[in-house]
């Protein structure tokens, strides 16, 4: 990937969902019901075919996610507990929304940078093309480096989730298993509050 991607985004969700998608790739869904994406993600064509990624976080709450075209950091590797993927992403517009599932295109709405509020997610600039994604949950709160008595996130703690992007080099294998992280992630979102 010529353009380096490395961005940290904080978002909160009441639907226990991280969404990674190019709004242009979901443009046909703008007039669908606002909850068209609720249910099994494997039954959503855009997700199953690798055009967008919707990931169940197994808990509502506040999450920090790092999206990168690079490697996991040393601390991320040490505390990575779960790995999902490969999931998929298609980029047509050169920018991707990363954030809460409640901002997925639908109900007459498509996210744009001017209307996404703090804590909902953010846009990431990246080259057009098709990508494979690996998603890691990071249990930083188990480490003596970041554990503290009041259960809050230290400023230097790793992200709760890391999304690693790589350009797709072969056909996407249709998604058949629900992209769901386990209950361990729930402790991280509680600690982040």
């Amino acid at each position: 990937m010529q353009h380096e991607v490395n961005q940290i985004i904080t978002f909160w969700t009441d639907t226990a969902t991280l969404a990674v998608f190019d709004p242009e790739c979901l443009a046909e869904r703008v007039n669908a019901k606002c909850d068209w994406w609720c249910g099994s993600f494997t039954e959503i064509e855009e997700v199953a075919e690798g055009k967008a990624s919707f990931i169940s976080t197994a808990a509502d709450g506040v999450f920090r996610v790092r999206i990168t075209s690079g490697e996991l950091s040393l601390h991320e590797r040490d505390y990575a507990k779960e790995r999902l993927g490969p999931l998929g992403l298609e980029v047509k517009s050169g920018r991707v929304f990363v954030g809460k599932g409640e901002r997925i295109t639908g109900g007459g709405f498509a996210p744009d940078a001017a209307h996404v509020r703090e804590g909902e997610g953010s846009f990431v600039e990246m080259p057009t093309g098709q990508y494979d994604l690996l998603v890691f949950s990071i249990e930083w709160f188990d480490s003596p480096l970041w554990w503290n008595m009041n259960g809050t996130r230290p400023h230097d703690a790793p992200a709760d989730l890391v999304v690693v992007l790589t350009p797709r080099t072969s056909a996407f294998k249709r998604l058949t298993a629900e992209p769901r992280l386990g209950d361990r992630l729930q402790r991280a979102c509680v600690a982040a509050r």
Side-chain angles (χ1 to χ4, degrees), residues 43-122:
E43 295 176 9
I44 298 170
E45 285 303 307
E46 293 90 342
V47 174
E49 293 176 357
K51 295 179 180 178
S53 288
F54 304 161
I55 299 112
S56 173
T57 61
D60 297 342
V62 177
F63 296 91
R64 278 183 68 199
V65 60
R66 183 169 80 94
I67 184 164
T68 182
S69 56
E71 305 274 328
L72 292 179
S73 72
L74 176 64
H75 290 311
E76 290 167 347
R77 281 194 305 272
D78 286 347
Y79 293 98
K81 297 298 179 190
E82 294 177 281
R83 177 186 147 184
L84 290 178
L87 304 175
L89 177 66
E90 182 176 359
V91 181
K92 292 181 179 178
S93 70
R95 52 190 263 274
V96 173
F97 177 78
V98 179
K100 64 193 265 175
E102 295 91 327
R103 297 299 277 181
I104 294 171
T105 300
F109 166 82
D112 63 67
H115 296 101
V116 173
R117 295 186 301 252
E118 185 176 343
E120 293 183 330
S122 186

Side-chain angles (χ1 to χ4, degrees), residues 161-172:
L161 302 168
V162 178
V163 177
V164 177
L165 304 159
T166 55
R168 189 173 300 150
T169 58
S170 59
F172 184 77

